[in-house]
Amino acid sequence: MKWQELDRENCSLARAMAVVGDRWTLLVLREAFLRVRRFDDFQERLGIARRVLTERLKHLVDHGVLEKVAYSQTPLRHEYRLTEKGLALYPVIISLVHWGDAYYAGKKGPPVLHRHQACGHDFRSVLTCSECGEALDPREVSPHAGPGARKGDWAERLTD
């Protein structure tokens, strides 16, 4: 499997990685979730080369994760907003942040906490079963081939 061919794999993770799988893209998304929208603000906060940022933003727009919206006509200026597809990445991003907090935050603790506005409490991400609501433990999950598995694919080799 080659990095440039991930989008052609019959694997949802590989296809997702083709869209969001490089470090700059994940950091651009972090900033988007922190409500950064304008090119110069992304560039200033990330310290990323303008060419690299331009490529990452275009890639996310091309894949429908961000949308480019004009906020000024004279001169023409755009900002980048998360789409519904982009907002759906929130559980992924917050889970990575909280994983980093657990294993890499340092002795003083996490640099940023996340507060649920509805209840007013800081929270930690927890993955739960959509059917019974219980917290999921990877040792208690069994993958099996889905309707998109193809003959000869790795997914076909999964057993119940």
Side-chain angles (χ1 to χ4, degrees):
M1 180 180 329
K2 295 181 181 175
W3 184 254
Q4 304 91 315
E5 298 172 358
L6 285 179
D7 60 339
R8 294 190 290 274
E9 289 292 317
N10 190 30
C11 170
S12 297
L13 179 59
R15 290 177 182 172
M17 291 296 292
V19 177
V20 300
D22 78 74
R23 60 184 173 196
W24 283 120
T25 299
L26 288 173
L27 292 174
V28 167
L29 288 169
R30 176 196 66 191
E31 295 302 318
F33 279 109
L34 292 172
R35 295 179 177 84
V36 173
R37 292 188 173 151
R38 296 183 179 172
F39 185 94
D40 289 339
D41 294 333
F42 280 109
Q43 203 276 323
E44 180 181 326
R45 289 176 65 137
L46 293 170
I48 184 175
R50 295 180 75 80
R51 179 189 59 77
V52 174
L53 179 58
T54 298
E55 291 170 2
R56 296 313 184 275
L57 289 169
K58 181 180 182 325
H59 182 74
L60 290 168
V61 168
D62 289 348
H63 285 277
V65 175
L66 296 175
E67 64 181 332
K68 191 174 176 179
V69 178
Y71 69 86
S72 171
Q73 295 300 322
T74 311
L76 183 59
R77 300 262 190 236
H78 293 91
E79 62 184 18
Y80 298 87
R81 295 185 183 176
L82 289 159
T83 62
E84 286 302 314
K85 186 177 184 178
L87 289 167
L89 283 166
Y90 186 74
V92 176
I93 301 297
I94 200 69
S95 291
L96 275 171
V97 168
H98 289 162
W99 179 79
D101 288 347
Y103 295 101
Y104 299 104
K107 293 179 185 189
K108 290 186 177 182
V112 175
L113 298 174
H114 300 89
R115 180 162 296 137
H116 183 216
Q117 292 176 357
C119 73
H121 289 91
D122 292 341
F123 71 92
R124 304 282 304 146
S125 53
V126 177
L127 186 61
T128 60
C129 175
S130 60
E131 302 305 311
C132 72
E134 283 191 32
L136 294 174
D137 180 317
R139 294 168 288 237
E140 297 174 354
V141 174
S142 302
H144 59 94
R150 291 185 250 171
K151 190 128 181 88
D153 266 353
W154 66 273
E156 185 189 52
R157 297 187 296 271
L158 298 174
T159 58
D160 285 326

PDB file of all heavy atoms in Angstrom, residues 18-51:
ATOM      1  N   ALA A  18      -6.247   9.422   3.790  1.00  0.00           N
ATOM      2  CA  ALA A  18      -5.902  10.132   2.561  1.00  0.00           C
ATOM      3  C   ALA A  18      -6.377  11.585   2.623  1.00  0.00           C
ATOM      4  O   ALA A  18      -5.815  12.452   1.965  1.00  0.00           O
ATOM      5  CB  ALA A  18      -6.497   9.419   1.350  1.00  0.00           C
ATOM      6  N   VAL A  19      -7.398  11.860   3.415  1.00  0.00           N
ATOM      7  CA  VAL A  19      -7.931  13.210   3.532  1.00  0.00           C
ATOM      8  C   VAL A  19      -7.304  13.963   4.703  1.00  0.00           C
ATOM      9  O   VAL A  19      -6.882  15.109   4.560  1.00  0.00           O
ATOM     10  CB  VAL A  19      -9.472  13.184   3.689  1.00  0.00           C
ATOM     11  CG1 VAL A  19     -10.027  14.596   3.877  1.00  0.00           C
ATOM     12  CG2 VAL A  19     -10.114  12.511   2.487  1.00  0.00           C
ATOM     13  N   VAL A  20      -7.205  13.349   5.878  1.00  0.00           N
ATOM     14  CA  VAL A  20      -6.780  14.071   7.082  1.00  0.00           C
ATOM     15  C   VAL A  20      -5.506  13.538   7.712  1.00  0.00           C
ATOM     16  O   VAL A  20      -5.127  13.957   8.804  1.00  0.00           O
ATOM     17  CB  VAL A  20      -7.897  14.084   8.154  1.00  0.00           C
ATOM     18  CG1 VAL A  20      -9.142  14.764   7.628  1.00  0.00           C
ATOM     19  CG2 VAL A  20      -8.203  12.688   8.657  1.00  0.00           C
ATOM     20  N   GLY A  21      -4.793  12.650   7.039  1.00  0.00           N
ATOM     21  CA  GLY A  21      -3.721  11.904   7.672  1.00  0.00           C
ATOM     22  C   GLY A  21      -2.349  12.512   7.757  1.00  0.00           C
ATOM     23  O   GLY A  21      -1.422  11.816   8.117  1.00  0.00           O
ATOM     24  N   ASP A  22      -2.172  13.774   7.472  1.00  0.00           N
ATOM     25  CA  ASP A  22      -0.830  14.321   7.689  1.00  0.00           C
ATOM     26  C   ASP A  22      -0.870  15.330   8.835  1.00  0.00           C
ATOM     27  O   ASP A  22      -1.919  15.855   9.181  1.00  0.00           O
ATOM     28  CB  ASP A  22      -0.240  14.928   6.407  1.00  0.00           C
ATOM     29  CG  ASP A  22      -0.788  16.289   6.072  1.00  0.00           C
ATOM     30  OD1 ASP A  22      -0.418  17.264   6.756  1.00  0.00           O
ATOM     31  OD2 ASP A  22      -1.591  16.392   5.128  1.00  0.00           O
ATOM     32  N   ARG A  23       0.274  15.565   9.434  1.00  0.00           N
ATOM     33  CA  ARG A  23       0.317  16.379  10.654  1.00  0.00           C
ATOM     34  C   ARG A  23      -0.194  17.796  10.454  1.00  0.00           C
ATOM     35  O   ARG A  23      -0.858  18.343  11.330  1.00  0.00           O
ATOM     36  CB  ARG A  23       1.714  16.387  11.241  1.00  0.00           C
ATOM     37  CG  ARG A  23       2.749  16.957  10.302  1.00  0.00           C
ATOM     38  CD  ARG A  23       4.131  16.850  10.874  1.00  0.00           C
ATOM     39  NE  ARG A  23       5.100  17.248   9.865  1.00  0.00           N
ATOM     40  CZ  ARG A  23       6.356  16.985   9.937  1.00  0.00           C
ATOM     41  NH1 ARG A  23       6.818  16.314  10.955  1.00  0.00           N
ATOM     42  NH2 ARG A  23       7.175  17.372   8.999  1.00  0.00           N
ATOM     43  N   TRP A  24       0.114  18.428   9.325  1.00  0.00           N
ATOM     44  CA  TRP A  24      -0.354  19.796   9.132  1.00  0.00           C
ATOM     45  C   TRP A  24      -1.862  19.847   8.995  1.00  0.00           C
ATOM     46  O   TRP A  24      -2.508  20.769   9.501  1.00  0.00           O
ATOM     47  CB  TRP A  24       0.328  20.454   7.937  1.00  0.00           C
ATOM     48  CG  TRP A  24       1.727  20.884   8.236  1.00  0.00           C
ATOM     49  CD1 TRP A  24       2.865  20.458   7.607  1.00  0.00           C
ATOM     50  CD2 TRP A  24       2.158  21.802   9.251  1.00  0.00           C
ATOM     51  NE1 TRP A  24       3.966  21.061   8.172  1.00  0.00           N
ATOM     52  CE2 TRP A  24       3.564  21.893   9.182  1.00  0.00           C
ATOM     53  CE3 TRP A  24       1.501  22.554  10.210  1.00  0.00           C
ATOM     54  CZ2 TRP A  24       4.302  22.716  10.027  1.00  0.00           C
ATOM     55  CZ3 TRP A  24       2.243  23.362  11.055  1.00  0.00           C
ATOM     56  CH2 TRP A  24       3.616  23.434  10.957  1.00  0.00           C
ATOM     57  N   THR A  25      -2.447  18.869   8.316  1.00  0.00           N
ATOM     58  CA  THR A  25      -3.896  18.866   8.139  1.00  0.00           C
ATOM     59  C   THR A  25      -4.597  18.743   9.489  1.00  0.00           C
ATOM     60  O   THR A  25      -5.572  19.444   9.762  1.00  0.00           O
ATOM     61  CB  THR A  25      -4.325  17.733   7.189  1.00  0.00           C
ATOM     62  OG1 THR A  25      -3.706  17.960   5.917  1.00  0.00           O
ATOM     63  CG2 THR A  25      -5.829  17.693   7.019  1.00  0.00           C
ATOM     64  N   LEU A  26      -4.101  17.874  10.347  1.00  0.00           N
ATOM     65  CA  LEU A  26      -4.708  17.732  11.673  1.00  0.00           C
ATOM     66  C   LEU A  26      -4.583  19.018  12.479  1.00  0.00           C
ATOM     67  O   LEU A  26      -5.510  19.407  13.198  1.00  0.00           O
ATOM     68  CB  LEU A  26      -4.088  16.558  12.426  1.00  0.00           C
ATOM     69  CG  LEU A  26      -4.477  15.184  11.896  1.00  0.00           C
ATOM     70  CD1 LEU A  26      -3.678  14.098  12.602  1.00  0.00           C
ATOM     71  CD2 LEU A  26      -5.971  14.941  12.042  1.00  0.00           C
ATOM     72  N   LEU A  27      -3.469  19.712  12.347  1.00  0.00           N
ATOM     73  CA  LEU A  27      -3.303  20.975  13.080  1.00  0.00           C
ATOM     74  C   LEU A  27      -4.169  22.085  12.486  1.00  0.00           C
ATOM     75  O   LEU A  27      -4.698  22.924  13.218  1.00  0.00           O
ATOM     76  CB  LEU A  27      -1.831  21.373  13.131  1.00  0.00           C
ATOM     77  CG  LEU A  27      -0.985  20.424  13.983  1.00  0.00           C
ATOM     78  CD1 LEU A  27       0.493  20.776  13.869  1.00  0.00           C
ATOM     79  CD2 LEU A  27      -1.431  20.417  15.430  1.00  0.00           C
ATOM     80  N   VAL A  28      -4.355  22.083  11.172  1.00  0.00           N
ATOM     81  CA  VAL A  28      -5.286  23.029  10.555  1.00  0.00           C
ATOM     82  C   VAL A  28      -6.693  22.769  11.093  1.00  0.00           C
ATOM     83  O   VAL A  28      -7.416  23.712  11.455  1.00  0.00           O
ATOM     84  CB  VAL A  28      -5.256  22.914   9.008  1.00  0.00           C
ATOM     85  CG1 VAL A  28      -6.435  23.640   8.376  1.00  0.00           C
ATOM     86  CG2 VAL A  28      -3.938  23.459   8.459  1.00  0.00           C
ATOM     87  N   LEU A  29      -7.066  21.504  11.194  1.00  0.00           N
ATOM     88  CA  LEU A  29      -8.388  21.164  11.731  1.00  0.00           C
ATOM     89  C   LEU A  29      -8.509  21.567  13.200  1.00  0.00           C
ATOM     90  O   LEU A  29      -9.558  22.050  13.631  1.00  0.00           O
ATOM     91  CB  LEU A  29      -8.674  19.679  11.550  1.00  0.00           C
ATOM     92  CG  LEU A  29      -8.962  19.267  10.114  1.00  0.00           C
ATOM     93  CD1 LEU A  29      -8.968  17.753   9.978  1.00  0.00           C
ATOM     94  CD2 LEU A  29     -10.282  19.863   9.640  1.00  0.00           C
ATOM     95  N   ARG A  30      -7.447  21.381  13.979  1.00  0.00           N
ATOM     96  CA  ARG A  30      -7.475  21.830  15.381  1.00  0.00           C
ATOM     97  C   ARG A  30      -7.828  23.310  15.432  1.00  0.00           C
ATOM     98  O   ARG A  30      -8.703  23.732  16.183  1.00  0.00           O
ATOM     99  CB  ARG A  30      -6.114  21.593  16.043  1.00  0.00           C
ATOM    100  CG  ARG A  30      -6.059  22.131  17.478  1.00  0.00           C
ATOM    101  CD  ARG A  30      -4.654  22.268  18.004  1.00  0.00           C
ATOM    102  NE  ARG A  30      -3.907  23.287  17.284  1.00  0.00           N
ATOM    103  CZ  ARG A  30      -2.599  23.477  17.399  1.00  0.00           C
ATOM    104  NH1 ARG A  30      -1.875  22.701  18.189  1.00  0.00           N
ATOM    105  NH2 ARG A  30      -1.991  24.423  16.715  1.00  0.00           N
ATOM    106  N   GLU A  31      -7.151  24.107  14.612  1.00  0.00           N
ATOM    107  CA  GLU A  31      -7.405  25.543  14.595  1.00  0.00           C
ATOM    108  C   GLU A  31      -8.815  25.856  14.121  1.00  0.00           C
ATOM    109  O   GLU A  31      -9.469  26.761  14.661  1.00  0.00           O
ATOM    110  CB  GLU A  31      -6.370  26.257  13.730  1.00  0.00           C
ATOM    111  CG  GLU A  31      -4.954  26.175  14.261  1.00  0.00           C
ATOM    112  CD  GLU A  31      -4.800  26.733  15.669  1.00  0.00           C
ATOM    113  OE1 GLU A  31      -5.383  27.800  15.969  1.00  0.00           O
ATOM    114  OE2 GLU A  31      -4.092  26.101  16.476  1.00  0.00           O
ATOM    115  N   ALA A  32      -9.303  25.116  13.136  1.00  0.00           N
ATOM    116  CA  ALA A  32     -10.677  25.336  12.654  1.00  0.00           C
ATOM    117  C   ALA A  32     -11.679  25.078  13.781  1.00  0.00           C
ATOM    118  O   ALA A  32     -12.655  25.819  13.930  1.00  0.00           O
ATOM    119  CB  ALA A  32     -10.965  24.449  11.447  1.00  0.00           C
ATOM    120  N   PHE A  33     -11.436  24.041  14.593  1.00  0.00           N
ATOM    121  CA  PHE A  33     -12.321  23.777  15.727  1.00  0.00           C
ATOM    122  C   PHE A  33     -12.163  24.824  16.829  1.00  0.00           C
ATOM    123  O   PHE A  33     -13.055  24.982  17.657  1.00  0.00           O
ATOM    124  CB  PHE A  33     -12.114  22.363  16.271  1.00  0.00           C
ATOM    125  CG  PHE A  33     -12.849  21.330  15.463  1.00  0.00           C
ATOM    126  CD1 PHE A  33     -12.164  20.451  14.652  1.00  0.00           C
ATOM    127  CD2 PHE A  33     -14.234  21.256  15.509  1.00  0.00           C
ATOM    128  CE1 PHE A  33     -12.850  19.506  13.896  1.00  0.00           C
ATOM    129  CE2 PHE A  33     -14.930  20.325  14.761  1.00  0.00           C
ATOM    130  CZ  PHE A  33     -14.241  19.444  13.953  1.00  0.00           C
ATOM    131  N   LEU A  34     -11.060  25.552  16.829  1.00  0.00           N
ATOM    132  CA  LEU A  34     -10.874  26.664  17.756  1.00  0.00           C
ATOM    133  C   LEU A  34     -11.394  27.970  17.147  1.00  0.00           C
ATOM    134  O   LEU A  34     -11.093  29.053  17.624  1.00  0.00           O
ATOM    135  CB  LEU A  34      -9.391  26.798  18.136  1.00  0.00           C
ATOM    136  CG  LEU A  34      -8.854  25.652  18.989  1.00  0.00           C
ATOM    137  CD1 LEU A  34      -7.345  25.761  19.152  1.00  0.00           C
ATOM    138  CD2 LEU A  34      -9.553  25.595  20.339  1.00  0.00           C
ATOM    139  N   ARG A  35     -12.133  27.833  16.060  1.00  0.00           N
ATOM    140  CA  ARG A  35     -12.833  28.925  15.369  1.00  0.00           C
ATOM    141  C   ARG A  35     -11.918  29.870  14.602  1.00  0.00           C
ATOM    142  O   ARG A  35     -12.257  31.034  14.370  1.00  0.00           O
ATOM    143  CB  ARG A  35     -13.740  29.677  16.333  1.00  0.00           C
ATOM    144  CG  ARG A  35     -14.876  28.799  16.848  1.00  0.00           C
ATOM    145  CD  ARG A  35     -15.768  29.509  17.829  1.00  0.00           C
ATOM    146  NE  ARG A  35     -16.878  28.676  18.241  1.00  0.00           N
ATOM    147  CZ  ARG A  35     -16.824  27.762  19.209  1.00  0.00           C
ATOM    148  NH1 ARG A  35     -15.693  27.547  19.857  1.00  0.00           N
ATOM    149  NH2 ARG A  35     -17.892  27.053  19.532  1.00  0.00           N
ATOM    150  N   VAL A  36     -10.756  29.399  14.207  1.00  0.00           N
ATOM    151  CA  VAL A  36      -9.898  30.155  13.294  1.00  0.00           C
ATOM    152  C   VAL A  36     -10.475  29.954  11.898  1.00  0.00           C
ATOM    153  O   VAL A  36     -10.826  28.836  11.524  1.00  0.00           O
ATOM    154  CB  VAL A  36      -8.431  29.665  13.372  1.00  0.00           C
ATOM    155  CG1 VAL A  36      -7.580  30.321  12.307  1.00  0.00           C
ATOM    156  CG2 VAL A  36      -7.874  29.918  14.760  1.00  0.00           C
ATOM    157  N   ARG A  37     -10.590  31.018  11.137  1.00  0.00           N
ATOM    158  CA  ARG A  37     -11.223  30.915   9.816  1.00  0.00           C
ATOM    159  C   ARG A  37     -10.412  31.551   8.687  1.00  0.00           C
ATOM    160  O   ARG A  37     -10.597  31.188   7.540  1.00  0.00           O
ATOM    161  CB  ARG A  37     -12.601  31.571   9.845  1.00  0.00           C
ATOM    162  CG  ARG A  37     -13.592  30.808  10.703  1.00  0.00           C
ATOM    163  CD  ARG A  37     -14.961  31.386  10.534  1.00  0.00           C
ATOM    164  NE  ARG A  37     -15.929  30.559  11.231  1.00  0.00           N
ATOM    165  CZ  ARG A  37     -17.044  31.010  11.736  1.00  0.00           C
ATOM    166  NH1 ARG A  37     -17.349  32.283  11.608  1.00  0.00           N
ATOM    167  NH2 ARG A  37     -17.875  30.199  12.344  1.00  0.00           N
ATOM    168  N   ARG A  38      -9.566  32.492   9.000  1.00  0.00           N
ATOM    169  CA  ARG A  38      -8.890  33.251   7.944  1.00  0.00           C
ATOM    170  C   ARG A  38      -7.468  32.753   7.732  1.00  0.00           C
ATOM    171  O   ARG A  38      -6.771  32.380   8.668  1.00  0.00           O
ATOM    172  CB  ARG A  38      -8.910  34.733   8.277  1.00  0.00           C
ATOM    173  CG  ARG A  38     -10.359  35.222   8.301  1.00  0.00           C
ATOM    174  CD  ARG A  38     -10.490  36.670   8.543  1.00  0.00           C
ATOM    175  NE  ARG A  38     -11.911  37.018   8.512  1.00  0.00           N
ATOM    176  CZ  ARG A  38     -12.379  38.191   8.830  1.00  0.00           C
ATOM    177  NH1 ARG A  38     -11.560  39.159   9.194  1.00  0.00           N
ATOM    178  NH2 ARG A  38     -13.674  38.422   8.772  1.00  0.00           N
ATOM    179  N   PHE A  39      -7.070  32.777   6.461  1.00  0.00           N
ATOM    180  CA  PHE A  39      -5.767  32.257   6.054  1.00  0.00           C
ATOM    181  C   PHE A  39      -4.634  32.805   6.919  1.00  0.00           C
ATOM    182  O   PHE A  39      -3.819  32.046   7.447  1.00  0.00           O
ATOM    183  CB  PHE A  39      -5.521  32.573   4.570  1.00  0.00           C
ATOM    184  CG  PHE A  39      -4.255  31.980   4.044  1.00  0.00           C
ATOM    185  CD1 PHE A  39      -4.268  30.745   3.418  1.00  0.00           C
ATOM    186  CD2 PHE A  39      -3.039  32.638   4.177  1.00  0.00           C
ATOM    187  CE1 PHE A  39      -3.085  30.181   2.935  1.00  0.00           C
ATOM    188  CE2 PHE A  39      -1.862  32.085   3.708  1.00  0.00           C
ATOM    189  CZ  PHE A  39      -1.889  30.850   3.079  1.00  0.00           C
ATOM    190  N   ASP A  40      -4.574  34.129   7.039  1.00  0.00           N
ATOM    191  CA  ASP A  40      -3.475  34.739   7.798  1.00  0.00           C
ATOM    192  C   ASP A  40      -3.475  34.298   9.255  1.00  0.00           C
ATOM    193  O   ASP A  40      -2.414  34.164   9.869  1.00  0.00           O
ATOM    194  CB  ASP A  40      -3.525  36.265   7.695  1.00  0.00           C
ATOM    195  CG  ASP A  40      -3.134  36.764   6.313  1.00  0.00           C
ATOM    196  OD1 ASP A  40      -2.461  36.010   5.566  1.00  0.00           O
ATOM    197  OD2 ASP A  40      -3.500  37.903   5.970  1.00  0.00           O
ATOM    198  N   ASP A  41      -4.651  34.071   9.813  1.00  0.00           N
ATOM    199  CA  ASP A  41      -4.735  33.618  11.202  1.00  0.00           C
ATOM    200  C   ASP A  41      -4.234  32.178  11.338  1.00  0.00           C
ATOM    201  O   ASP A  41      -3.523  31.851  12.290  1.00  0.00           O
ATOM    202  CB  ASP A  41      -6.161  33.748  11.728  1.00  0.00           C
ATOM    203  CG  ASP A  41      -6.612  35.200  11.822  1.00  0.00           C
ATOM    204  OD1 ASP A  41      -5.747  36.087  11.979  1.00  0.00           O
ATOM    205  OD2 ASP A  41      -7.832  35.440  11.718  1.00  0.00           O
ATOM    206  N   PHE A  42      -4.608  31.318  10.377  1.00  0.00           N
ATOM    207  CA  PHE A  42      -4.064  29.950  10.377  1.00  0.00           C
ATOM    208  C   PHE A  42      -2.542  30.014  10.287  1.00  0.00           C
ATOM    209  O   PHE A  42      -1.838  29.356  11.045  1.00  0.00           O
ATOM    210  CB  PHE A  42      -4.579  29.141   9.178  1.00  0.00           C
ATOM    211  CG  PHE A  42      -5.958  28.575   9.316  1.00  0.00           C
ATOM    212  CD1 PHE A  42      -7.008  29.094   8.569  1.00  0.00           C
ATOM    213  CD2 PHE A  42      -6.207  27.498  10.152  1.00  0.00           C
ATOM    214  CE1 PHE A  42      -8.275  28.563   8.666  1.00  0.00           C
ATOM    215  CE2 PHE A  42      -7.478  26.952  10.254  1.00  0.00           C
ATOM    216  CZ  PHE A  42      -8.519  27.491   9.515  1.00  0.00           C
ATOM    217  N   GLN A  43      -2.047  30.816   9.351  1.00  0.00           N
ATOM    218  CA  GLN A  43      -0.613  30.898   9.101  1.00  0.00           C
ATOM    219  C   GLN A  43       0.131  31.414  10.330  1.00  0.00           C
ATOM    220  O   GLN A  43       1.140  30.853  10.736  1.00  0.00           O
ATOM    221  CB  GLN A  43      -0.363  31.791   7.880  1.00  0.00           C
ATOM    222  CG  GLN A  43       0.957  31.537   7.193  1.00  0.00           C
ATOM    223  CD  GLN A  43       2.100  32.284   7.844  1.00  0.00           C
ATOM    224  OE1 GLN A  43       1.941  33.414   8.301  1.00  0.00           O
ATOM    225  NE2 GLN A  43       3.248  31.647   7.898  1.00  0.00           N
ATOM    226  N   GLU A  44      -0.405  32.437  10.941  1.00  0.00           N
ATOM    227  CA  GLU A  44       0.245  33.014  12.119  1.00  0.00           C
ATOM    228  C   GLU A  44       0.250  32.037  13.296  1.00  0.00           C
ATOM    229  O   GLU A  44       1.260  31.851  13.966  1.00  0.00           O
ATOM    230  CB  GLU A  44      -0.460  34.307  12.529  1.00  0.00           C
ATOM    231  CG  GLU A  44       0.156  34.979  13.734  1.00  0.00           C
ATOM    232  CD  GLU A  44      -0.592  36.240  14.130  1.00  0.00           C
ATOM    233  OE1 GLU A  44      -1.113  36.935  13.231  1.00  0.00           O
ATOM    234  OE2 GLU A  44      -0.650  36.517  15.340  1.00  0.00           O
ATOM    235  N   ARG A  45      -0.866  31.390  13.545  1.00  0.00           N
ATOM    236  CA  ARG A  45      -0.979  30.493  14.705  1.00  0.00           C
ATOM    237  C   ARG A  45      -0.169  29.221  14.536  1.00  0.00           C
ATOM    238  O   ARG A  45       0.359  28.676  15.497  1.00  0.00           O
ATOM    239  CB  ARG A  45      -2.439  30.183  14.978  1.00  0.00           C
ATOM    240  CG  ARG A  45      -3.167  31.400  15.535  1.00  0.00           C
ATOM    241  CD  ARG A  45      -4.619  31.151  15.730  1.00  0.00           C
ATOM    242  NE  ARG A  45      -4.852  30.139  16.740  1.00  0.00           N
ATOM    243  CZ  ARG A  45      -5.782  30.222  17.674  1.00  0.00           C
ATOM    244  NH1 ARG A  45      -6.538  31.288  17.745  1.00  0.00           N
ATOM    245  NH2 ARG A  45      -5.950  29.238  18.536  1.00  0.00           N
ATOM    246  N   LEU A  46      -0.082  28.728  13.294  1.00  0.00           N
ATOM    247  CA  LEU A  46       0.622  27.467  13.060  1.00  0.00           C
ATOM    248  C   LEU A  46       2.093  27.659  12.703  1.00  0.00           C
ATOM    249  O   LEU A  46       2.886  26.726  12.847  1.00  0.00           O
ATOM    250  CB  LEU A  46      -0.070  26.677  11.943  1.00  0.00           C
ATOM    251  CG  LEU A  46      -1.464  26.159  12.269  1.00  0.00           C
ATOM    252  CD1 LEU A  46      -2.135  25.607  11.018  1.00  0.00           C
ATOM    253  CD2 LEU A  46      -1.398  25.108  13.362  1.00  0.00           C
ATOM    254  N   GLY A  47       2.455  28.828  12.178  1.00  0.00           N
ATOM    255  CA  GLY A  47       3.826  29.028  11.731  1.00  0.00           C
ATOM    256  C   GLY A  47       4.161  28.157  10.526  1.00  0.00           C
ATOM    257  O   GLY A  47       5.312  27.812  10.289  1.00  0.00           O
ATOM    258  N   ILE A  48       3.166  27.827   9.765  1.00  0.00           N
ATOM    259  CA  ILE A  48       3.286  26.956   8.601  1.00  0.00           C
ATOM    260  C   ILE A  48       3.626  27.799   7.364  1.00  0.00           C
ATOM    261  O   ILE A  48       3.186  28.951   7.263  1.00  0.00           O
ATOM    262  CB  ILE A  48       1.954  26.173   8.413  1.00  0.00           C
ATOM    263  CG1 ILE A  48       2.010  25.166   7.285  1.00  0.00           C
ATOM    264  CG2 ILE A  48       0.788  27.114   8.218  1.00  0.00           C
ATOM    265  CD1 ILE A  48       0.737  24.297   7.182  1.00  0.00           C
ATOM    266  N   ALA A  49       4.381  27.225   6.454  1.00  0.00           N
ATOM    267  CA  ALA A  49       4.696  27.929   5.206  1.00  0.00           C
ATOM    268  C   ALA A  49       3.397  28.194   4.440  1.00  0.00           C
ATOM    269  O   ALA A  49       2.492  27.354   4.410  1.00  0.00           O
ATOM    270  CB  ALA A  49       5.640  27.096   4.357  1.00  0.00           C
ATOM    271  N   ARG A  50       3.316  29.359   3.837  1.00  0.00           N
ATOM    272  CA  ARG A  50       2.088  29.748   3.121  1.00  0.00           C
ATOM    273  C   ARG A  50       1.734  28.737   2.038  1.00  0.00           C
ATOM    274  O   ARG A  50       0.567  28.411   1.855  1.00  0.00           O
ATOM    275  CB  ARG A  50       2.240  31.158   2.548  1.00  0.00           C
ATOM    276  CG  ARG A  50       2.365  32.213   3.651  1.00  0.00           C
ATOM    277  CD  ARG A  50       2.525  33.611   3.105  1.00  0.00           C
ATOM    278  NE  ARG A  50       1.289  34.161   2.583  1.00  0.00           N
ATOM    279  CZ  ARG A  50       0.314  34.703   3.326  1.00  0.00           C
ATOM    280  NH1 ARG A  50       0.442  34.748   4.633  1.00  0.00           N
ATOM    281  NH2 ARG A  50      -0.760  35.191   2.756  1.00  0.00           N
ATOM    282  N   ARG A  51       2.729  28.239   1.313  1.00  0.00           N
ATOM    283  CA  ARG A  51       2.468  27.260   0.255  1.00  0.00           C
ATOM    284  C   ARG A  51       1.856  25.984   0.816  1.00  0.00           C
ATOM    285  O   ARG A  51       0.890  25.456   0.278  1.00  0.00           O
ATOM    286  CB  ARG A  51       3.766  26.933  -0.496  1.00  0.00           C
ATOM    287  CG  ARG A  51       3.601  25.902  -1.610  1.00  0.00           C
ATOM    288  CD  ARG A  51       4.931  25.442  -2.189  1.00  0.00           C
ATOM    289  NE  ARG A  51       5.825  24.843  -1.214  1.00  0.00           N
ATOM    290  CZ  ARG A  51       5.690  23.593  -0.729  1.00  0.00           C
ATOM    291  NH1 ARG A  51       4.696  22.837  -1.101  1.00  0.00           N
ATOM    292  NH2 ARG A  51       6.558  23.120   0.143  1.00  0.00           N
TER     293      ARG A  51
END
